[in-house]
Amino acid sequence: MNIGLFGGTFDPVHRGHMAVARAAMERCKLHRVYFVVANVPPHKQRQAHTPFAHRFAMMALATAAEKTFVPSLLEAPEELSGAKPRWQRPNYTIDTMRSLKRSLKSDKLFFLIGMDAFCDIAKWHDAEALFRECEFIVAGRPGYSLADVANALPASLRPRAEVTRPFQKQAATGDLVLPGATIHLLADLHQPASATAIRQAISSGKSLDRFLDPLVADYIKKMKLYRAT
Ligand code: ATP
């Protein structure tokens, strides 16, 4: 089976995330996508986040109608994960990917990511190893160009310019297959949804409900999330 892992803070999960997952499923014939809600992602530790329990509850609501979308507790805080006390909670995406691989055995794994996040991939812990463990599916996002995919790679994986010339244009598309990295580009996605914009809108008394699953929008209202107070 082809399995996708989609990680993020999902604060909150929005229609942009769902569109990425659907497009990735179709493109790479994924049988299932695990939405891994991050507890404290290493690269975002300085930001305050909505408690994990709320972000996970919203994820459970947003994925409820799709049999193949699975909300994952792989990065949950220990007290919520239900894991045995001696189980080492993964801190980095490479650990999460390896945990998933161990539990699924022979499945082929894909990592879903938006181009904004991919721009920083070279700074991730053990990034080269992550490219060895799985194929990447990178989604376009307004304000970011998929033509920058090759340049964003860790230096040891970065190909010569001739190899990536077809991708050095505005409409980079298709697959980039390199020694040590396979990257599928989702070029047709132009999803304007952003969790930051949603949080900011709510805190200033506006609404961006059109970017949210109605169940998630209701949950945010009931629990009074993102309000300025
Ligand atoms: P924030 O605005 O707080 O950074 P976000 O909307 O980017 O939040 P995250 O939970 O940080 O949401 O994103 C998880 C993953 O989904 C990242 O890989 C991100 O690039 C991707 N992603 C989020 N929104 C979009 C979008 N509209 N189009 C494509 N990818 C997206």
Side-chain angles (χ1 to χ4, degrees), residues 9 77 135 148 175 206 214 217:
T9 43
E135 297 187 7
D148 295 329
D175 299 336
K206 296 178 202 128

Side-chain angles (χ1 to χ4, degrees), residues 23-53:
M25 283 203 100
E26 199 177 312
R27 174 66 174 281
C28 293
K29 308 283 172 261
L30 305 183
H31 297 90
R32 199 172 295 158
V33 174
Y34 288 89
F35 289 78
V36 180
V37 179
N39 182 20
V40 185
H43 60 292
K44 282 190 176 175
Q45 267 164 10
R46 286 192 199 148
Q47 271 173 243
H49 292 296
T50 306
F52 180 92

